[in-house]
Amino acid sequence: MTMLDKEPSTPAQGEPLVVLSGVQKWFGELHVLRDIDLTVHRGEVVVVIGPSGSGKSTLCRAINRLETIGEGSITLDGQPLPEEGRALAELRAEVGMVFQSFNLFAHKTILENVTLGPIKVRGQKREDAEKRARELLDRVGVGHQADKYPAQLSGGQQQRVAIARALAMEPKVMLFDEPTSALDPEMIKEVLDVMVELAEGGMTMIVVTHEMGFARTAANRVVFMADGQIVEENTPHEFFTDPQTDRAKDFLGKILKH
């Protein structure tokens, strides 16, 4: 076992927080999520990997209801996902999301980007929101950039701001949809380092990524998807050293040779 691999027997952390049951999703004729059953426990870090087009991002977006589902159910902390309106906005406040593109407001400063949600959605006082935002920006290593605009920051810095912005809402779970895929290689590590720190701090995380080093280092569980299905799930150590399915062996054979 290398230093990279977590202990093989990482137990489930707390009670179930995100539960997907019998989830189906179609885009027209295309069956993009097939019978997905997945339970993520409080404090658990689940990394979702698999070939392009396997349904990973759709799965991630369904948990935030950015994608609707055709059949099945998704619950967050025991509550079904609301359909729309105020309840949906409140749900999204509970579920932090970090995308490939940073989605920061270009015309607002970094500080304003991070305080907008807490003030507008959570009803926090501006001074409280700003104090917390500065703490979070310091935590992700961009505190000195608070008064700049997104265009003045590197991609890696912008993505760390996006993480701080999601954390400012005090979410119950953080979703990461390929958060490093738009970044230059030297910026990837600075974002992954922040994510590893979050994981070590006990944040519940669902991470769709191509970064196998992160999966080995930070995940409690690896979920391998192909063709819209969960084909295999296991601890990182077991998955990377002893994949059980031909599909997983084939995938790992292709990516780990390079």
Side-chain angles (χ1 to χ4, degrees):
M1 184 162 129
T2 67
M3 288 295 289
L4 272 178
D5 290 316
K6 275 205 159 193
E7 287 296 321
S9 57
T10 313
Q13 313 292 295
E15 67 273 23
L17 184 61
V18 179
V19 180
L20 291 83
S21 181
V23 170
Q24 312 274 5
K25 166 80 179 172
W26 290 265
F27 287 129
E29 297 291 296
L30 193 63
H31 199 172
V32 287
L33 292 178
R34 300 167 180 261
D35 232 359
I36 300 289
D37 292 314
L38 179 67
T39 297
V40 179
H41 296 83
R42 197 179 296 278
E44 192 178 17
V45 178
V46 173
V47 172
V48 184
I49 62 174
S52 294
S54 57
K56 307 183 300 290
S57 288
T58 306
L59 173 77
C60 201
R61 293 167 69 86
I63 295 168
N64 200 14
R65 218 172 182 287
L66 289 171
E67 296 283 1
T68 55
I69 58 174
E71 291 174 19
S73 69
I74 303 177
T75 59
L76 174 70
D77 216 358
Q79 301 296 315
L81 298 196
E83 293 293 316
E84 56 196 22
R86 180 78 195 164
L88 183 57
E90 286 168 2
L91 161 90
R92 290 205 177 124
E94 303 289 341
V95 181
M97 182 109 189
V98 179
F99 302 88
Q100 291 180 30
S101 52
F102 324 124
N103 293 2
L104 299 174
F105 292 111
H107 62 289
K108 292 188 180 295
T109 65
I110 297 309
L111 188 66
E112 288 167 341
N113 266 281
V114 178
T115 56
L116 190 66
I119 293 169
K120 292 266 192 250
V121 180
R122 294 279 197 217
Q124 286 181 14
K125 289 196 189 114
R126 180 172 301 278
E127 62 192 273
D128 294 341
E130 288 188 354
K131 180 172 181 283
R132 176 77 178 134
R134 287 185 188 280
E135 287 169 3
L136 287 168
L137 289 168
D138 282 341
R139 183 172 162 193
V140 300
V142 288
H144 58 298
Q145 310 280 13
D147 299 319
K148 291 187 177 174
Y149 289 87
Q152 296 173 279
L153 273 60
S154 72
Q157 289 170 327
Q158 288 187 57
Q159 192 60 297
R160 286 183 283 152
V161 172
I163 293 172
R165 179 182 57 181
L167 290 173
M169 298 296 283
E170 308 281 341
K172 291 178 177 173
V173 57
M174 288 277 282
L175 307 177
F176 293 86
D177 186 8
E178 300 196 11
T180 58
S181 62
L183 297 176
D184 293 336
E186 70 271 18
M187 293 175 192
I188 291 174
K189 183 177 183 305
E190 65 191 52
V191 173
L192 292 177
D193 284 349
V194 169
M195 292 168 62
V196 168
E197 205 175 289
L198 276 183
E200 288 169 350
M203 173 60 77
T204 310
M205 294 164 62
I206 302 170
V207 183
V208 174
T209 187
H210 297 289
E211 298 296 331
M212 297 303 138
F214 177 82
R216 283 181 174 236
T217 312
N220 299 108
R221 186 159 37 125
V222 172
V223 171
F224 174 70
M225 288 185 73
D227 308 315
Q229 292 172 294
I230 293 177
V231 177
E232 192 167 330
E233 49 183 310
N234 214 327
T235 64
H237 180 74
E238 292 294 329
F239 179 78
F240 286 108
T241 56
D242 187 23
Q244 300 298 301
T245 59
D246 289 342
R247 196 77 180 78
K249 284 173 189 163
D250 179 56
F251 176 78
L252 290 172
K254 282 177 178 152
I255 59 163
L256 296 178
K257 282 196 173 79
H258 296 293

